Amino acid sequence: MNSNKLKIEIWSDLVCPFCYIGKRELENALESLEKTQAVEIEWKSFELMPDLPDNYDKSSYQFFAEKYGTSLAQAKMAHLQVAQRAKSLGLDYQFDKTQLVKTQKAHQFLHFAKTKNKQTQAKERLFQAFFTEGKKLDAEHTLIALGKELGFEPTEIETIFKQKLYLKEIENDIEEARKIGVRGVPFFVFEGKYAVSGAQPKEAFVSVLQKTFEMLAKKSNDMAAAQTEGKTDTTGQAACRVGDDCL
């Protein structure tokens, strides 16, 4: 972690429409504060549908209707409202195309991208592939193709799945979510101190970002004052001063 940057940890899933919306709201907040380069973002894994059958062939509307006990027409209306909010942020949701899948492989892909310092770019590309292009994110050939766009070697992506890499990292993310009480995503944690749950509007992110940057500035000032007062020596220990009980 870069200690000079504000750390933001985000739990989300690739098939979660509000996760993509939340990502864009956060980015807009950072841009409005001119702080885009002042943060370090880490994307944490969260699986909303780990038990989804392989080759699930029902539409997002059918899934929603069955899960929440609504009619297909009501499900479509709910999706339309989400799509309209996404559109207001410049996102193009094509729910008629989306193909619901387990997202473990996509999360493996994201953990690999983290090792290449391209995790946020990979997250954006996967969201776009799912919500706009209707790609199946559990298909290895799809992830290989998306990886090539990001500059990854196909053999690197193939190795991820052949050797079942990053499964422990995914498990650790999910366990950490349980421990801190994450019940749904997106879930944002700022410097391990402040949390935002859900796809809140930009203004909510601006507020918590300002509070967190102020906290970091105070912490930095307090440390600087302590160092000045203590006159730290080259070993990093506070130098003995007149009036102190020193050994």
Side-chain angles (χ1 to χ4, degrees), residues 50-62:
D51 300 320
L52 193 74
D54 292 332
N55 300 313
Y56 184 79
D57 61 358
K58 294 183 180 180
S59 71
S60 294
Y61 309 126
Q62 290 172 298

Side-chain angles (χ1 to χ4, degrees), residues 195-208:
V196 172
S197 179
Q200 300 297 328
K202 180 183 77 173
E203 292 74 21
F205 286 111
V206 167
S207 178
V208 73

Side-chain angles (χ1 to χ4, degrees), residues 124-140:
E124 177 71 21
R125 187 64 189 92
L126 289 172
F127 273 142
Q128 183 185 47
F130 180 78
F131 286 106
T132 303
E133 301 167 8
K135 295 185 182 298
K136 292 192 68 174
L137 295 187
D138 66 341
E140 293 182 14

Side-chain angles (χ1 to χ4, degrees), residues 59-246:
S59 71
S60 294
Y61 309 126
Q62 290 172 298
F63 177 87
F64 183 94
E66 292 175 6
K67 181 176 181 179
Y68 295 104
T70 68
S71 68
L72 196 59
Q74 289 172 317
K76 289 184 177 181
M77 179 57 67
H79 281 71
L80 176 61
Q81 292 171 346
V82 174
Q84 288 173 336
R85 181 177 175 191
K87 186 176 181 180
S88 74
L89 296 168
L91 305 178
D92 181 16
Y93 280 14
Q94 298 290 331
F95 284 116
D96 288 340
K97 296 180 180 179
T98 53
Q99 301 183 69
L100 295 179
V101 295
K102 296 177 182 178
T103 52
Q104 184 183 81
K105 288 182 178 179
H107 286 296
Q108 289 176 269
F109 182 91
L110 284 170
H111 275 284
F112 167 75
K114 179 182 174 182
T115 70
K116 301 290 188 178
N117 296 315
K118 288 188 175 182
Q119 196 182 32
T120 294
Q121 296 98 307
K123 189 78 173 184
E124 177 71 21
R125 187 64 189 92
L126 289 172
F127 273 142
Q128 183 185 47
F130 180 78
F131 286 106
T132 303
E133 301 167 8
K135 295 185 182 298
K136 292 192 68 174
L137 295 187
D138 66 341
E140 293 182 14
H141 66 85
T142 295
L143 295 171
I144 289 170
L146 296 176
K148 287 177 67 176
E149 291 182 26
L150 294 164
F152 306 149
E153 291 294 329
T155 53
E156 293 180 304
I157 309 302
E158 291 169 358
T159 299
I160 294 172
F161 307 122
K162 285 180 180 178
Q163 299 186 10
K164 300 182 179 179
L165 303 179
Y166 305 110
L167 297 182
K168 185 62 177 178
E169 286 83 350
I170 293 172
E171 182 182 328
N172 289 343
D173 285 350
I174 294 171
E175 178 60 25
E176 186 179 0
R178 291 195 191 100
K179 288 181 178 179
I180 66 175
V182 178
R183 296 179 180 275
V185 289
F187 193 88
F188 306 77
V189 176
F190 298 77
E191 278 295 318
K193 176 72 174 179
Y194 302 113
V196 172
S197 179
Q200 300 297 328
K202 180 183 77 173
E203 292 74 21
F205 286 111
V206 167
S207 178
V208 73
L209 283 166
Q210 289 175 326
K211 186 185 299 186
T212 312
F213 278 118
E214 287 170 3
M215 179 192 76
L216 290 180
K218 183 179 185 302
K219 182 178 179 180
S220 179
N221 290 337
D222 288 347
M223 290 179 61
Q227 290 175 349
T228 300
E229 182 180 352
K231 298 178 182 177
T232 53
D233 62 16
T234 55
T235 66
Q237 301 295 320
C240 185
R241 299 171 297 173
V242 174
D244 288 340
D245 290 327
C246 302

